[in-house]
Amino acid sequence: MSFYLWTNAQAVAISMMGVVMSLSRAEVYDLSIFLLIVQYRSFRKAADNLGVTASALSHRVKALEERLGVRLLNRTSRSVAPTVAGSALAEKVSAGLDLINSGLEELHGHHEGTAGSVRLNVLRDASILLLRPVLPIFLQRFPNIELEIAVDDHFVDVTAEGFDAGLRYGGTIPEDMIAIPLTPPLKWVVVGAPGYFERRGRPELPDDLLSHQCIRIRTGRGQIYKWEFEQGDDRREIDVPGSLISSESAFAINAAIDGIGLFYCLEKLASPHLAAGRLEVALPQWSSIGPPLSMYYSSRRQLPFGISALIQVIRDINPLK
């Protein structure tokens, strides 16, 4: 599809969706022309792309600058570059057209019976607690969405690695990302096997853990995690001892079941084993409430339809209720 037709489709979408009621189709086209010139840094290359003359584009941009009352482009005989105001406008226009194009792609997907593909990077704990319960329903509702899931506890730059979104604990998400909480705040507890408590006794305070065998946690950023506790206004952070270190909760929980030591984990992960009597909670009055699991994505990108659909299914099913 040519740039001209694509732009007119966007203008129609704006009119239909009521996104920018004050802009006419011609004004949207002028903004798109301006963005193309900024991208090419050339009137001639932009004109060749559109199949018009460079002079025609120059007149349209000049008219746009006069309407806005600000210079958008610095022009020389050899180059074209946006002004400070032009750079700011180009960033906003690009984000707006991405949003509109996403809406058009979604509409086209529904019409054609397809909805595209998305890539998601997910913590292993989140894959167990959130994705496993909802995937059958999601795939039944949206059979034409291709969902690629990379389960990875190591922290990665989802944008740089080509992922559309990530799923992590809220407290670990970079501040420049948009985060959407998918669960309530999560409860963390210390668990151990009945046999372990028979041999070693039960800790009564968090500091008692310093004399116990603990299964320590290495986070996705490579640090050994200090166990956190709270009781009212009393908050403590314990650098527990232990000869076994794990970066995977499922492995560590099984080690705790085998009596190797105590483990600090999400109560929801341990709940099947607690119900079956394979594990018991130590320090029940000193549990900690941590951030929710959240979907996150770049603030510079529009959330793909497939990810927004997955978020809605997770909220509908609410597996951590």
Side-chain angles (χ1 to χ4, degrees):
M1 182 180 292
S2 73
F3 184 86
Y4 178 81
L5 291 177
W6 180 66
T7 302
N8 274 277
Q10 290 171 326
V12 172
I14 290 177
S15 177
M16 291 174 61
M17 297 162 59
V19 176
V20 187
M21 297 301 293
S22 61
L23 292 182
S24 66
R25 290 175 58 171
E27 288 170 324
V28 174
Y29 183 47
D30 287 346
L31 288 171
S32 301
I33 287 174
F34 160 69
L35 182 62
L36 194 65
I37 294 168
V38 171
Q39 291 171 341
Y40 279 120
R41 293 293 199 272
S42 167
F43 278 93
R44 181 184 59 79
K45 291 181 180 179
D48 289 344
N49 180 281
L50 297 174
V52 297
T53 65
S55 176
L57 294 192
S58 179
H59 285 306
R60 297 204 72 132
V61 171
K62 184 177 180 180
L64 176 63
E65 290 176 324
E66 290 176 352
R67 288 200 304 274
L68 297 176
V70 63
R71 176 179 287 277
L72 300 175
L73 297 172
N74 289 320
R75 309 164 177 82
T76 69
S77 59
R78 294 186 177 182
S79 66
V80 178
T83 63
V84 173
S87 293
L89 178 63
E91 183 176 348
K92 297 295 185 183
V93 170
S94 178
L97 293 182
D98 284 346
L99 175 62
I100 295 165
N101 193 49
S102 175
L104 290 173
E105 289 178 354
E106 180 181 333
L107 182 64
H108 177 73
H110 286 306
H111 178 70
E112 297 294 329
T114 61
S117 62
V118 291
R119 299 184 72 225
L120 182 62
N121 188 279
V122 184
L123 279 177
R124 193 171 304 276
D125 290 353
S127 71
I128 296 170
L129 294 174
L130 287 186
L131 294 188
R132 184 176 178 182
V134 306
L135 278 181
I137 296 171
F138 174 79
L139 295 174
Q140 182 179 21
R141 287 187 189 178
F142 303 97
N144 297 310
I145 293 178
E146 182 180 82
L147 180 62
E148 180 179 345
I149 298 172
V151 179
D152 189 354
D153 285 338
H154 292 91
F155 184 83
V156 299
D157 184 331
V158 292
T159 303
E161 297 296 328
F163 293 99
D164 294 292
L167 188 50
R168 291 287 188 278
Y169 295 115
T172 66
I173 296 172
E175 292 183 358
D176 61 344
M177 293 284 180
I178 295 175
I180 303 173
L182 299 181
T183 70
L186 299 169
K187 184 178 181 180
W188 293 75
V189 295
V190 176
V191 297
Y196 175 89
F197 293 123
E198 290 175 5
R199 295 194 316 273
R200 302 290 300 268
R202 291 178 176 271
E204 296 182 2
L205 295 171
D207 291 345
D208 294 342
L209 292 169
L210 295 174
S211 62
H212 278 264
Q213 181 71 14
C214 299
I215 302 166
R216 295 188 287 168
I217 308 166
R218 188 175 296 280
T219 71
R221 293 183 180 274
Q223 299 99 343
I224 299 296
Y225 185 74
K226 295 180 181 180
W227 296 8
E228 299 174 354
F229 300 92
E230 58 186 60
Q231 186 181 64
D233 294 331
D234 190 349
R235 289 174 171 78
R236 306 186 189 186
E237 192 175 82
I238 308 297
D239 189 4
V240 298
S243 55
L244 179 62
I245 301 171
S246 176
S247 61
E248 185 184 49
S249 296
F251 175 84
I253 287 174
N254 285 328
I257 291 171
D258 292 338
I260 291 176
L262 303 179
F263 185 57
Y264 181 83
C265 64
L266 285 177
E267 185 180 48
K268 287 290 186 181
L269 283 174
S271 58
H273 307 293
L274 294 171
R278 292 185 290 270
L279 291 174
E280 298 174 359
V281 174
L283 301 169
Q285 304 303 316
W286 286 91
S287 60
S288 177
I289 303 299
L293 286 166
S294 299
M295 192 80 74
Y296 69 100
Y297 62 99
S298 171
S299 59
R300 296 179 178 272
R301 298 180 62 183
Q302 173 64 18
L303 189 64
F305 170 70
I307 299 296
S308 61
L310 179 59
I311 289 172
Q312 188 58 53
V313 173
I314 291 174
R315 287 176 170 170
D316 290 344
I317 303 305
N318 194 12
L320 294 184
K321 59 185 175 182

